[in-house]
Amino acid sequence: MPSPPPPPRAVLLLLLLLLPHNAAAAAAGASSAVNPFTAKAAFIRYWNRKVPNNRPHPAFFVAKLSPLPAADTASFPSALPDIRARLPALCSRAGLLCAGPADAAAASLAAAAGPFTGYSNANFSNYGTGGDAGADAFRNYSPDLNIAADSFRRYGRDSSGRTDRFESYEADGNVVTANFTSYAGGATGGSGSFAAYASETNVPDSTFTNYDAAANGRRRGFASYSQEANHGGNGFSGYGKGGNGVRETFASYGNESNVLASAFANYGESANGATDTFTSYGVEGNVPENTFRSYGAGANAGVDTFKKYRDDANVGDDRFSSYAKGANGGAAEFQSYGNSANPGSTTFKGYGEGTNANHHIGFKEYAGENNTFKGYAESGVDFKEYHNTSSSAAAALTVSAEAATSMQHQHLRWSPEPEKFFRERELVAGNRMPMPDIRDKMPPRAFLPREIATRIPFESDAVSEVFGVPLDTAMGKAVASTVAECQRAPSKGETKRCATSAEDVVDFAVEMLGNDVVVRSTASTAGGGGDIQLGAVTGVDGGRVTRSVSCHQSLFPYLVYYCHSVPKVRVYEADITAADGPREKINHGVAICHLDTSDWSPTHGAFVALGGKPGEVEVCHWIFEGDMTWTVAD
């Protein structure tokens, strides 16, 4: 006999359990249309239990929730190899950041391949080898990719009289891994140029292993290498090594970059009759880490010039190991080294050592604090100016007193992120002020449901295995950096947690602030990068000093947030209007003012931008797109 149907009351109760139970959320539209049998709906029910204040679910947070259907979530395997096997099918449905297939299209092209107007995510094994005359051009190679992984093994090798040009290589990429193994090796005559290599990339890891090695009579130029790149690493292992009569120029290398590590290993080594010029290296960089090992070593009858090295840079760490070592019958000149806006640590070891008496070595200006100069030619070196304001004995130049003709260094006012920081007094209605570019520059990703995230150990090796991300690529290094930062001991007075799921974010906010909380973020990016005018400004919790939880995105295959409890702050909401034209509201901004900066580093960009020292001034900034701040509800 069939069982009787369940009473209507039981059915209603079941539906109530499956659907979001607060009416305010449904009215707001943020969660009312969510399929109840999804990971997103499960999280909304979790939110309602943890934060039972009947406030609307913020749309910016709901948009980050996992779109996985319940069946995919329930059947997700536990063993790492099984997860790896299922990953290709789940990447798009789960909104993850996954690399393309490992066997990306490869090409082996002859000299007559002709120009490429567009090409993406491919490996070239052999391009233009032995080509005669003619021209090659790549206009757009892998632009605007989230994860770019490209390699050129041999480009233009042993060619003769050939002109080649790269107009744009991996511009505006997010997580970029690129390698040129051999570029124009053994080529004769002709010319080539890179107009822009990995410019405005987010996390670059680019390498040139050999560029113009053993070339003869070539003319080469790099107009821009890693311009305005953010947080990555670039390397040049060999540039013009063993070349004959090669004329090479670098107009811009790593300029205006942020936390970029650069390495140049061999520039013009053992070259004959070469003319090399670096116009600017690491200029206006923020926290650069530059290493130059061997510039013009063993060269014969060459002319080497460095015009600007880390001028107007902010802190960082630079090492120069050898400049024109053992050179013969030529000239080397440094026009400006270490003339930083906010000094870092600079070491110069080996300048013109072992050069022939016919070689002229010149240094126009060497400046900064925390500088060390060791090992230079005993004769033939001319230092026009040496500036050093540091009183530390560690910052010493071992040259004659006559060489150090000036001990003054004019510090420039420089901000690594213009307009990012401001003072609390600027948050008043009617004030016109610049607003930084607050766009979220991270690749789009979603949270993983907690039950899936917990099956993947939060370890670099495990994440590398699951997502097929080699640890020696840009993405692999980003994963390792995120894990290391999450495992770092908290700073003094800091309580922190890396949230690998949306549930973790809510749990930490509730743990720190209680269950009557709200989360805020700036509504959009409108007004960013230009001047704005403030409309109504409201202090959260009546403008009183409060405590908040701030959460910032980390680069990972799925959403991971670095959340920390921030004491002694004031949080503001402000209507944002256009600075010019009709005073129409274009955005609704959220700003946080840190009132206690006593534990901040003296070299923090806020003090560079605003002046003052730790503990002397408060520091305010907008909440950028993708980030958020939690406070107790008003």
Side-chain angles (χ1 to χ4, degrees), residues 262-342:
S262 299
F264 236 98
N266 291 293
Y267 187 96
E269 183 178 4
S270 302
N272 180 52
T275 302
D276 299 323
T277 302
F278 253 90
T279 304
S280 58
Y281 183 98
V283 170
E284 295 187 25
N286 180 40
V287 199
E289 292 189 19
N290 298 324
T291 301
F292 234 98
R293 294 180 318 195
S294 183
Y295 183 97
N300 180 54
V303 178
D304 300 322
T305 303
F306 243 100
K307 290 189 176 180
K308 291 183 179 181
Y309 187 97
R310 70 162 288 138
D311 278 19
D312 298 337
N314 179 48
V315 298
D317 186 13
D318 287 300
R319 293 169 297 282
F320 223 100
S321 294
S322 170
Y323 186 87
K325 183 177 182 178
N328 175 54
E333 180 77 38
F334 241 100
Q335 293 191 12
S336 174
Y337 182 93
N339 194 19
S340 301
N342 203 33

Side-chain angles (χ1 to χ4, degrees), residues 422-433 532 534-539 570-576 589-594 618-622:
F422 53 90
R423 301 292 300 274
E424 191 174 15
R425 60 175 176 260
E426 297 186 54
L427 288 169
V428 293
N431 184 42
R432 180 183 176 123
M433 62 187 295
I532 60 170
L534 300 183
V537 178
T538 305
R570 274 193 282 263
V571 178
Y572 292 89
E573 292 188 314
D575 289 338
I576 295 173
V590 177
I592 184 170
C593 292
H594 300 266
E618 86 292 344
V619 174
C620 304
H621 62 85
W622 297 104

Side-chain angles (χ1 to χ4, degrees), residues 61-348:
F61 196 97
V62 172
K64 301 177 187 298
L65 301 178
S66 174
L68 274 177
D72 283 328
T73 304
S75 65
F76 203 83
S78 298
L80 296 188
D82 296 333
I83 295 175
R84 177 81 176 102
R86 284 282 303 279
L87 199 66
L90 290 171
C91 273
S92 59
R93 279 186 279 174
L96 308 180
L97 179 63
C98 298
D103 57 345
S108 180
L109 303 174
F116 280 80
T117 56
Y119 214 88
S120 288
N121 244 4
N123 300 322
F124 275 78
S125 297
N126 196 346
Y127 185 93
T129 296
D132 293 323
D136 296 316
F138 272 85
R139 291 187 181 176
N140 290 292
Y141 190 96
S142 293
D144 299 309
L145 295 180
N146 264 331
I147 300 181
D150 300 321
S151 68
F152 266 84
R153 295 186 63 186
R154 287 179 296 275
Y155 183 96
R157 187 173 182 177
D158 297 326
S159 63
S160 177
R162 197 160 185 85
T163 301
D164 49 74
R165 177 178 175 81
F166 267 80
E167 292 189 16
S168 176
Y169 187 92
E170 294 188 332
D172 299 310
N174 222 319
V175 186
V176 173
T177 300
N179 181 52
F180 262 80
T181 304
S182 174
Y183 188 96
T188 299
S191 64
S193 64
F194 259 84
Y197 183 93
S199 63
E200 299 186 41
T201 50
N202 192 28
V203 185
D205 183 13
S206 304
T207 303
F208 258 87
T209 305
N210 227 328
Y211 186 93
D212 264 359
N216 182 51
R218 295 276 289 170
R219 186 185 184 96
R220 287 282 176 182
F222 256 84
S224 171
Y225 186 97
S226 286
Q227 182 89 358
E228 298 184 45
N230 179 46
H231 196 76
N234 292 320
F236 243 95
S237 298
Y239 188 95
K241 183 177 181 180
N244 180 51
V246 176
R247 184 181 181 89
E248 296 172 332
T249 59
F250 254 87
S252 169
Y253 183 97
N255 287 1
E256 301 178 50
S257 60
N258 182 47
V259 198
L260 185 72
S262 299
F264 236 98
N266 291 293
Y267 187 96
E269 183 178 4
S270 302
N272 180 52
T275 302
D276 299 323
T277 302
F278 253 90
T279 304
S280 58
Y281 183 98
V283 170
E284 295 187 25
N286 180 40
V287 199
E289 292 189 19
N290 298 324
T291 301
F292 234 98
R293 294 180 318 195
S294 183
Y295 183 97
N300 180 54
V303 178
D304 300 322
T305 303
F306 243 100
K307 290 189 176 180
K308 291 183 179 181
Y309 187 97
R310 70 162 288 138
D311 278 19
D312 298 337
N314 179 48
V315 298
D317 186 13
D318 287 300
R319 293 169 297 282
F320 223 100
S321 294
S322 170
Y323 186 87
K325 183 177 182 178
N328 175 54
E333 180 77 38
F334 241 100
Q335 293 191 12
S336 174
Y337 182 93
N339 194 19
S340 301
N342 203 33
S345 174
T346 305
T347 302
F348 215 108

